[in-house]
Amino acid sequence: MFEKPSMEIPDAVRDVAERNVAQTRAAYGQFMEMARKAQEMMTKSQGAMATSAIEVQARAMGFAEQNIEANFKLATELARARDLKDFFDIQTRHAQSQMQAYTHQAQELGRMMTEAAQKAQPKPKV
């Protein structure tokens, strides 16, 4: 009776989306390079900063990079989606994967913060 309407995403739209992802990734790369340089300068200028705080900061920055890279991967995959089912499948897989990553990252940062707090505690004098 009725033909199901096609929900395909046109090639031109996918091409534009992929170019936008590439341009955004390049801008992100420049931003991260500036952030790394600023972090290095701050670390050098604040010699009194606790080693633990520097480690936590570096780990958090690493997690942020991983999450952003995962989002770039998502954007690239979404830009290549052929139809809405594919689009939603990609999005679902990404959400599940990121929830696992966020859980691991929160646990890791919590562990590092606990260790840092323990190191900062004054040692009892005997």
Side-chain angles (χ1 to χ4, degrees):
M1 289 170 79
F2 292 104
E3 193 173 313
K4 209 178 207 180
S6 175
M7 299 302 272
E8 284 193 29
I9 300 168
D11 289 339
V13 172
R14 287 196 310 267
D15 291 343
V16 168
E18 285 189 60
R19 279 194 304 274
N20 286 342
V21 170
Q23 290 171 347
T24 303
R25 184 184 291 273
Y28 162 72
Q30 292 172 346
F31 169 78
M32 288 306 296
E33 184 59 30
M34 287 188 300
R36 279 190 203 93
K37 288 179 182 179
Q39 184 181 21
E40 288 172 12
M41 286 174 30
M42 186 180 82
T43 302
K44 289 176 185 176
S45 68
Q46 300 207 2
M49 182 183 270
T51 302
S52 297
I54 294 170
E55 290 172 359
V56 170
Q57 180 186 23
R59 191 73 169 142
M61 185 90 147
F63 286 150
E65 287 182 77
Q66 287 174 2
N67 295 335
I68 290 170
E69 284 300 320
N71 285 318
F72 276 124
K73 180 180 176 198
L74 169 67
T76 300
E77 289 178 13
L78 289 175
R80 294 179 181 153
R82 295 284 177 200
D83 55 36
L84 286 179
K85 182 189 178 313
D86 192 25
F87 185 91
F88 288 122
D89 287 347
I90 292 166
Q91 212 170 27
T92 300
R93 281 193 309 272
H94 173 75
Q96 291 169 344
S97 174
Q98 282 307 108
M99 287 307 295
Q100 291 174 348
Y102 294 151
T103 299
H104 166 75
Q105 293 166 4
Q107 290 171 343
E108 178 70 13
L109 290 174
R111 181 191 61 74
M112 292 179 78
M113 294 295 286
T114 300
E115 288 176 5
Q118 290 171 346
K119 288 178 185 177
Q121 295 283 328
K123 303 281 187 226
K125 295 182 182 180
V126 182

